[in-house]
């Protein structure tokens, strides 16, 4: 065998963000994270994903923690490792599109508080919804990574992905992430996709997937052989199932090959030992559902990401319609087709899933239509890969003229208005952004924070910064 040149695979560790978001509903507290940071900092990770996604909302809503404070503490602890976050394009970390001034300010503050790499995605893969965040990140000297939301369907040909990747490089992104949120990318397709994208663009390519359908480790192996630059993994106690493949397994897999990471397995074992009791506790308390640890091949049949599956089950439970589970699963691809076949990722997955539940429970399709479904059909979330089903569009929005421009072009700057609304609670600039994303949840949190301390010296206050149990 000819000598292959050394190309160590780089690894992004997800245990502090996507792993606990996927397995234990984002309930890991800052206090649980901090003691292990020192060891994690010695591993040699490409980056540690520790912020963004649902962590912002969950910190405020369930843990009564300031997400900005978490970021600053993690930044203080990670002396040698880049910190990474997940950012939903124009939706930032919330569930509606925000005006450009809010997006720009959020990017600025994220980088100022310690984020190095911002992974930016849009649930429609509409480039127009990504540009503001990418430009803001470039301006702040951050690393803007644009994620392609990977999915299957007639519209999603190799030409589609190549064209998208080229557009992403042209818009000023520093790297591309293939974001396979539902575990739909199978090994040999990964070879093909990575090979073609590497030919099409010159910026690094990262691969992110979930173990939900059981193929993720094999997919990583083929992608690495095809030349992918970085893969996302999670420490073994929070790996597999609806999370990512295990870090230690990937490190061992490539040991002694040209892709050898050079990571120290003894150090990784100590880190795993630290997280294991947390997982066991989550299992005992019911926070971690053992079902989420198995393989669910239905994801390949219905393209439903893991998080969306648990969402559907709880919606049906509330409606006392658990027997309709498979009917709903079969309805999901039909609704998705009606709505222009978007990738299923936050928030499009919730929108399609909820509408499918209504269609089945009401016994008539689109008899009851959510305001989000109407917004998608009105173009308010951006352009879809395929046209909408005209009959469904007519039934849902009548004669309303859908918009064709970039949705955020219709939004007035809103920072000043938001700041005026919440000024009584403001203790730091970042509070304005917290309120912008989640007005009700933020107000509750600010009240809690005010009750916790009657303005103490921040250095002293820090000793009591425990998250109360959920």
């Amino acid at each position: 065998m000819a000598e292959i040149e050394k190309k160590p695979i780089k690894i992004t560790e997800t245990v502090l963000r996507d792993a606990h978001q996927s397995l234990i509903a984002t309930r890991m507290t800052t206090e649980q994270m901090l003691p292990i940071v020192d060891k994690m900092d010695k591993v040699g990770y490409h980056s540690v994903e520790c912020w963004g996604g649902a962590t912002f909302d969950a910190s405020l809503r369930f843990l009564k923690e300031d997400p900005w404070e978490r970021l600053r503490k993690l930044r203080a602890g990670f002396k040698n490792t880049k910190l990474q976050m997940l950012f939903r394009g124009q939706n930032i970390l919330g569930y509606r599109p925000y005006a450009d001034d809010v997006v720009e300010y959020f990017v600025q503050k994220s980088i100022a508080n310690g984020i190095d790499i911002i992974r930016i995605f849009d649930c429609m893969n509409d480039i127009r919804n990504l540009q503001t965040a990418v430009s803001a990140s470039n301006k702040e000297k951050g690393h803007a990574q644009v994620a392609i939301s990977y999915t299957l369907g007639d519209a999603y040909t190799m030409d589609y992905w190549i064209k998208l990747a080229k557009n992403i490089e042209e818009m000023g992104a520093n790297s591309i992430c293939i974001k396979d949120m539902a575990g739909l990318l199978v090994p040999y397709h990964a070879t093909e996709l990575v090979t073609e994208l590497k030919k099409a663009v010159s910026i690094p390519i990262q691969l992110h997937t979930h173990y939900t359908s059981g193929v993720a480790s094999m997919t990583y192996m083929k992608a690495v052989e095809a030349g992918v630059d970085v893969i996302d993994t999670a420490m073994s106690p929070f790996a597999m199932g609806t999370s990512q493949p295990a870090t230690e397994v990937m490190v061992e897999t490539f040991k002694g090959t040209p892709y050898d990471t050079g990571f120290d397995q003894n150090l990784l074992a100590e880190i795993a030992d630290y997280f294991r009791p947390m997982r066991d506790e989550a299992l005992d308390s019911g926070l971690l559902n053992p079902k989420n640890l198995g393989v669910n091949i239905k994801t390949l049949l219905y393209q439903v990401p893991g998080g969306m599956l648990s969402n559907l089950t709880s919606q049906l439970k509330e409606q006392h319609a658990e027997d309709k589970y498979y009917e709903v699963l079969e309805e999901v691809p039909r609704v998705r087709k009606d709505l222009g076949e978007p990738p299923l990722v936050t928030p499009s997955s919730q929108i399609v899933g909820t509408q499918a539940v209504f269609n089945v429970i009401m016994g008539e399709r689109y008899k009851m239509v959510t305001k989000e479904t109407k917004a998608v059909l009105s173009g308010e979330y951006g352009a879809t890969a395929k046209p909408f089903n005209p009959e469904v569009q007519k039934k849902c929005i009548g004669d309303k003229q859908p918009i064709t421009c970039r949705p955020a072009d219709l939004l007035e700057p809103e920072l000043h208005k938001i700041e005026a609304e919440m000024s009584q609670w403001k203790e730091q600039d970042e509070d304005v952004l917290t309120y912008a994303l989640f007005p009700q949840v933020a107000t509750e949190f600010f009240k809690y924070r005010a009750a916790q301390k009657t303005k103490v010296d921040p250095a002293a206050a820090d000793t009591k910064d425990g998250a109360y149990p959920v």
Side-chain angles (χ1 to χ4, degrees), residues 389-401:
N389 175 336
E391 287 149 37
V392 169
Q393 191 178 24
K394 179 104 176 114
K395 184 169 181 179
C396 297
I397 65 168
D399 296 324
K400 184 179 169 188
Q401 264 315 99

Side-chain angles (χ1 to χ4, degrees), residues 137 170 211 242 458:
S137 179
E170 278 158 26
Y211 218 97
T242 47

Side-chain angles (χ1 to χ4, degrees), residues 63-78:
L63 306 174
K64 292 290 180 274
E65 286 188 7
D66 180 3
W68 298 100
E69 195 53 32
R70 170 180 298 185
L71 175 54
R72 290 190 283 264
K73 287 178 173 174
L74 290 171
R75 178 71 285 166
F78 281 106

Side-chain angles (χ1 to χ4, degrees), residues 115-142:
I115 288 293
D116 299 290
I117 302 170
I118 302 188
R119 178 179 291 171
I120 306 158
F121 78 96
D122 174 62
C123 70
M124 301 290 182
N125 285 328
D126 185 339
I127 292 276
R128 301 170 307 170
N129 294 336
L130 301 162
Q131 188 66 65
T132 302
V134 170
S135 303
S137 179
N138 289 340
K139 188 181 156 200
E140 299 298 324
K141 308 273 185 286

Side-chain angles (χ1 to χ4, degrees), residues 144-402:
Q145 178 177 84
V146 170
I148 290 171
S149 298
Y150 181 79
T151 188
L152 305 172
D154 303 339
Y156 301 100
T157 59
M158 189 57 79
D159 286 344
Y160 171 91
W161 300 121
I162 289 170
K163 188 177 159 207
L164 188 57
K166 285 180 167 164
N167 286 343
I168 288 169
E169 183 169 35
E170 278 158 26
M171 78 191 289
N174 303 102
S175 63
I176 290 175
C177 172
I178 302 164
K179 180 178 164 62
D180 176 24
M181 54 281 166
L184 300 173
L185 183 60
V186 293
Y188 288 99
H189 284 176
T191 301
E192 201 186 344
L193 183 61
V194 172
T195 305
E196 291 303 319
L197 293 187
K198 289 299 282 185
K199 278 189 229 161
V201 299
S202 60
I203 52 179
I205 295 178
Q206 182 155 358
L207 177 55
H208 170 92
T209 189
H210 290 255
Y211 218 97
T212 325
S213 61
V215 298
S217 295
M218 295 180 280
T219 296
Y220 274 174
M221 194 165 180
K222 298 311 278 181
V224 169
E225 290 170 355
V228 89
D229 299 279
V230 195
I231 53 175
D232 286 13
T233 65
M235 287 306 299
S236 55
F238 283 97
M240 320 286 275
T242 47
S243 175
Q244 279 75 47
T247 306
E248 306 95 309
V249 175
M250 286 290 129
V251 167
E252 198 57 32
T253 300
F254 296 117
K255 201 172 162 183
T257 73
Y259 313 109
D260 196 331
T261 59
F263 289 4
D264 174 356
Q265 283 285 24
N266 294 321
L267 176 60
L268 291 175
E270 287 176 39
I271 297 170
D273 288 344
Y274 177 79
F275 285 109
R276 199 165 292 110
M278 281 182 216
R279 184 201 50 191
D280 295 345
E281 195 184 319
L283 276 167
D284 294 343
S285 70
L287 187 55
L288 173 51
N289 182 341
K291 273 190 192 149
N292 293 346
L293 293 171
V295 164
N296 193 334
I297 201 67
K298 295 248 162 8
T299 51
L300 290 175
L301 299 177
Y302 305 114
Q303 299 212 26
V304 178
M308 185 177 164
L309 277 176
S310 48
N311 222 3
L312 288 180
T313 7
S314 64
Q315 282 182 343
L316 288 170
K317 206 173 187 165
E318 277 166 29
Q319 304 289 333
H320 303 295
E322 286 143 293
D323 55 321
K324 302 268 195 278
Y325 181 64
Y326 287 105
E327 270 178 74
V328 170
L329 275 187
E330 281 161 27
E331 177 63 6
V332 165
R334 293 194 285 261
V335 172
R336 179 175 173 240
K337 229 179 173 71
D338 292 338
L339 302 191
E341 226 172 348
L344 295 180
V345 63
T346 307
S348 55
S349 49
Q350 285 84 340
I351 297 169
V352 169
T354 305
Q355 190 57 57
V357 169
F358 279 133
N359 286 2
V360 168
I361 287 178
M362 300 308 260
E364 180 194 323
R365 305 185 75 227
Y366 304 103
K367 182 178 181 177
M368 187 170 164
V369 185
T370 67
K371 67 177 198 300
E372 288 79 11
T373 299
K374 288 178 183 169
V376 169
L377 293 167
S378 307
E380 288 167 37
Y381 281 90
T384 46
K386 277 293 211 15
F388 300 128
N389 175 336
E391 287 149 37
V392 169
Q393 191 178 24
K394 179 104 176 114
K395 184 169 181 179
C396 297
I397 65 168
D399 296 324
K400 184 179 169 188
Q401 264 315 99

Side-chain angles (χ1 to χ4, degrees), residues 78-99:
F78 281 106
K79 310 269 193 287
N80 315 301
T81 312
K82 287 191 160 81
L83 298 185
Q84 182 166 328
M85 74 173 290
L86 183 66
F87 194 100
R88 302 186 190 124
Q90 237 21 72
N91 297 354
I92 312 181
L93 304 176
Y95 307 102
R96 72 169 174 91
Y98 295 89

Side-chain angles (χ1 to χ4, degrees), residues 23-83:
L23 291 177
I24 59 165
T26 333
R27 294 300 204 278
M28 200 182 287
T29 65
T30 306
E31 207 165 63
Q32 288 177 307
M33 296 174 185
L34 295 176
I36 198 63
V37 163
D38 196 37
K39 281 186 180 152
M40 288 179 69
D41 197 29
K42 294 186 175 82
V43 173
Y45 289 120
H46 167 69
S47 65
V48 169
E49 191 200 37
C50 61
W51 212 62
T55 62
F56 199 93
D57 184 353
S59 296
L60 296 162
R61 194 186 298 263
F62 304 115
L63 306 174
K64 292 290 180 274
E65 286 188 7
D66 180 3
W68 298 100
E69 195 53 32
R70 170 180 298 185
L71 175 54
R72 290 190 283 264
K73 287 178 173 174
L74 290 171
R75 178 71 285 166
F78 281 106
K79 310 269 193 287
N80 315 301
T81 312
K82 287 191 160 81
L83 298 185

